Amino acid sequence: MKAIRGATTVEKDEAENIKQRVKELLTEIKNANNLNEDNMIFILFSNTADIRSFYPAKAAREAGFFSCALYSSLEPEIENSLNRCIRVMVLADISTEPKHIYLHNAAALRKDLTAHINIAVDGPAGSGKSTVSELIAKRLNILHLDTGATYRAVALACKKYKIDFSDEHQVRANIDKFNIEIKYLNNKQSTMLDKIDVSDMIRTPEMSLAASTVSAYKCVRDKMVELQRKFASSNSCILDGRDIGSNVLPDAQFKFFLTASAEIRSKRRMAENQTKNINQPFDIVLADIMLRDKQDSMRKFAPLVCADDAIKIDTSDMGIDEVADKILKIIQEKV
Ligand code: DC
């Protein structure tokens, strides 16, 4: 279920004008979001106190929106608020991104609902950035792009085409062959290689290390960063990776850098691996994490680094929800 917002103003506090503007607003919301009698559940109006001639909910019923529940309420008189403004929230059973509609100079009360927003979350392997980013994306109803998956897909492509991933020349000579795409189904990311969903295949310890190696190559970074920037420019989204705040999206409105001790990160990675039936001893996981930290931080191009303007959060003693709540609080305070 999604909440679709909208607002309009009316020229005069007159029944006809209110009816016409309510009908126009609801019709635009309905068309933009592919709504119908079956998926519209509830329409809630509020209007400024200078509208007295007609209830917006009644106008909606007269306009033919009577299959769902309707409700009107009055807003308090607030200094500098818009004159004669009707706001609406439509609850609808849809899975697509809601399209909010604002007409006749009405503006969104909450900027975060309509503004294009990019959030960068960086950090080393196992710092919790992917899980936290997924939670935040859900709560803000935006998309989450796990950029590590794009490098993992390059590593898998090397395996598929029998290219030695540790040989930069070979990778450079073949990279244009790799058809890597990101798709979303119900807001969940699928990483595609040659039109096949490889989201699970890239999550092995072998692909982790190979991704860390190929992500150091300039030819790989150029191609993946282009894909990531294109995605971020056309979607409100949260990107997690190693160089998002410092390189991919230096102008992102929000930047966070998550850290945790190597031991804690290894324990988390072990637990995650176990859910996928990958059982490795602690020492091996720790060595792998430390090697990746070294490779990711020492490389020449766009290394793992905390951007100057990123907010650093040590997650060693924090649960995932706690980290997500902290980030959301910072975001809400700023929008
Ligand atoms: O986050 P991850 O473990 O899925 O990332 C796999 C590798 O990809 C990681 O070792 C470093 C690299 N990577 C990168 O260089 N830049 C990013 N933005 C994301 C990941």
Side-chain angles (χ1 to χ4, degrees):
M1 186 150 60
K2 296 283 166 62
I4 307 158
R5 292 200 180 222
T8 186
T9 57
V10 294
E11 278 161 53
K12 291 185 192 140
D13 179 25
E14 285 177 3
E16 277 318 303
N17 198 210
I18 295 169
K19 285 186 205 177
Q20 182 258 324
R21 290 279 160 100
V22 165
K23 184 175 181 181
E24 177 190 31
L25 179 63
L26 290 180
T27 306
E28 289 224 11
I29 289 178
K30 186 177 168 189
N31 293 342
N33 292 279
N34 282 326
L35 304 182
N36 56 45
E37 283 191 5
D38 294 332
N39 58 19
M40 285 174 89
I41 296 162
F42 187 73
I43 306 178
L44 169 71
F45 291 96
S46 69
N47 59 264
T48 48
D50 50 4
I51 292 181
R52 294 192 176 87
S53 316
F54 210 80
Y55 288 116
K58 197 169 173 205
R61 197 164 60 226
E62 286 191 12
F65 293 86
F66 40 71
S67 61
C68 55
L70 292 160
Y71 182 83
S72 285
S73 66
L74 198 64
E75 290 178 13
E77 293 203 40
I78 291 173
E79 220 180 309
N80 296 328
S81 84
L82 269 179
N83 289 331
R84 294 180 301 285
C85 184
I86 300 173
R87 295 192 177 82
V88 68
M89 186 193 282
V90 179
L91 280 187
D93 195 7
I94 52 168
S95 52
T96 46
E97 281 271 291
K99 294 200 175 70
H100 310 291
I101 303 285
Y102 293 90
L103 305 174
H104 303 289
N105 298 326
L109 279 183
R110 281 180 53 196
K111 288 202 198 75
D112 55 319
L113 281 169
T114 47
H116 178 257
I117 176 174
N118 282 162
I119 306 167
V121 179
D122 290 299
S127 55
K129 56 191 186 321
S130 266
T131 320
V132 164
S133 299
E134 209 169 310
L135 270 180
I136 292 169
K138 250 191 214 137
R139 300 263 287 272
L140 295 178
N141 199 15
I142 58 176
L143 295 177
H144 165 222
L145 176 62
D146 164 7
T147 63
T150 65
Y151 296 99
R152 287 169 181 265
V154 172
L156 187 69
C158 290
K159 190 172 175 187
K160 176 176 173 183
Y161 291 106
K162 303 203 171 14
I163 292 156
D164 178 2
F165 72 83
S166 60
D167 180 346
E168 186 173 356
H169 295 287
Q170 274 194 50
V171 177
R172 193 184 312 125
N174 289 283
I175 186 139
D176 286 336
K177 260 203 242 162
F178 304 168
N179 179 13
I180 294 165
E181 293 168 296
I182 301 297
K183 294 256 153 78
Y184 285 84
L185 187 65
N186 294 333
N187 286 358
K188 197 163 168 38
Q189 174 179 340
S190 292
T191 308
M192 316 289 291
L193 173 61
D194 298 335
K195 309 276 176 209
I196 292 167
D197 188 344
V198 294
S199 307
D200 292 332
M201 285 162 79
I202 56 177
R203 299 278 150 207
T204 61
E206 181 195 0
M207 288 303 121
S208 297
L209 272 182
S212 178
T213 302
V214 296
S215 68
Y217 303 155
K218 185 171 183 303
C219 60
V220 172
R221 293 214 79 81
D222 286 350
K223 199 164 166 170
M224 294 305 111
V225 169
E226 188 190 334
L227 182 155
Q228 294 158 17
R229 284 189 180 141
K230 218 174 189 173
F231 178 84
S233 72
S234 47
N235 293 288
S236 275
C237 55
I238 181 163
L239 268 66
D240 81 89
R242 303 291 188 286
D243 62 331
I244 309 302
S246 58
N247 175 53
V248 180
L249 303 174
D251 296 327
Q253 295 98 318
F254 301 99
K255 296 182 185 179
F256 299 92
F257 191 87
L258 306 188
T259 58
S261 70
E263 284 73 17
I264 294 275
R265 290 188 283 122
S266 303
K267 280 187 191 151
R268 288 180 187 160
R269 191 43 54 95
M270 265 181 86
E272 188 189 330
N273 284 348
Q274 275 160 8
T275 65
K276 295 176 210 147
N277 275 334
I278 300 170
N279 294 301
Q280 281 184 312
F282 178 78
D283 290 352
I284 302 275
V285 179
L286 179 64
D288 171 289
I289 289 259
M290 286 169 74
L291 175 62
R292 284 219 283 152
D293 281 359
K294 196 170 156 204
Q295 286 192 166
D296 296 344
S297 328
M298 308 277 281
R299 66 176 179 229
K300 202 161 130 201
F301 301 108
L304 165 66
V305 64
C306 177
D308 292 341
D309 50 352
I311 296 171
K312 214 170 180 172
I313 302 175
D314 186 339
T315 70
S316 299
D317 299 321
M318 293 170 86
I320 289 298
D321 286 314
E322 215 180 325
V323 182
D325 284 345
K326 184 169 178 157
I327 291 180
L328 280 163
K329 191 159 174 265
I330 294 169
I331 292 172
Q332 292 297 353
E333 273 164 10
K334 231 177 123 182
V335 286

